[in-house]
Amino acid sequence: MLNIFNRIEKSELGIYPTPIERLKNEEKYLNFEHKIYIKRDDLSGIGPGGNKVRSLEFILGDAVSNESDLIIASGPLQSNLCTLAASSCAKLSLECVLVHNGDKPNFLEGNTLLNHILGVRSHFIGNCGQQERDEYVNNIYDEYIKKGRKPYIIKNGATTGLGALGYINAVDEILVQSNKENLNIKNIFAPGGNGGVASGLIYGNALLGFPFSIYIISVEYDRSVLLENIINTIAEIEDITNLKLDCKISEFSKIIDDYKGLGWGIDTCKSRNVVYDFAKREGIFLENIYNSKVMVGLEDYVKNKKIDSNVCYVHTGGFGSLFMQFNK
Ligand SMILES: *Cc1c(COP(=O)(O)O)cnc(C)c1O
């Protein structure tokens, strides 16, 4: 592990390093003369797995070191963060409360079923925006304080400097695995929602001396908005690590917004098709909010010969949410 983490509290939740495998059928399908690898962060070992387990190790590490006994997470009904927070709280023996903007579902499916099995208390506050949800969260926080509890709020879907530390570790893992197994990975493709994964990868790549080019496929915002989020989150990382780096974003990373369609949670024709095609080729499921759009971008870059060396696709999980993405 990188020594900048020595002072930072962490709860062990996942199983790391996650595996890297080769996607031979995908290479063949794309007629690619280089290799395509997949970093299986969907197999991170707790709950349905995924990128947010890395974030939660640091966020819940902070909660535990503050002696919090109750965690409040919030998000839409099928939020991967909420289910991973609930799974992680089970392992750490913390109480977990979820706040969903959405109506109580008539039947349980995907992540809401997993939350139910985990026995967390879920608040359904109807269709509202993030600001209203945050106000609701702050209110229940105050109520728990009055009851003598020590609640802790997971902010901004775990996209914070603290949460992003997890992906500094991930990029280090990829470098170690690539060197040890002679994979010669040169390019990394990963999704950009609020930009937590992206910030950790970009900062980590700088810390390691730029071994990779990082391609972030936006699934939500225009390029300029995502870039600003990334810059702000990197500044938060630097406050925590006490180490400012010139991340040379324009030189070693590309923030790409060509594949997001109409934005978060709205699939495109191509993203929908790739869920089917990729599963048939490789036996690996991609959900259709983040990972499908990144695969569409990767395939397009390869087909258009914009990549001329080995690639690693980061699978960020979200398996639970797949179960309600095709029945609308
Ligand atoms: C949250 C999430 C991401 C990335 O989110 P960022 O806010 O950009 O860090 C990617 N994939 C899945 C499955 C997620 O749940």
Side-chain angles (χ1 to χ4, degrees), residues 51-52 80-81 157 159 191-198 226 287 290-291 316-318:
N51 62 300
K52 293 193 178 73
N80 299 314
L81 168 71
T159 298
N194 287 325
V197 168
L226 177 55
E287 50 67 60
Y290 298 93
N291 289 286
T316 55

Side-chain angles (χ1 to χ4, degrees), residues 217-218 256-261 268 293 296-297 300-301 306:
I217 307 294
S218 177
I256 300 157
D257 64 4
D258 298 331
Y259 305 100
K260 66 180 175 46
T268 64
K293 287 179 180 173
V296 171
D300 198 45
Y301 266 61
K306 291 189 204 167

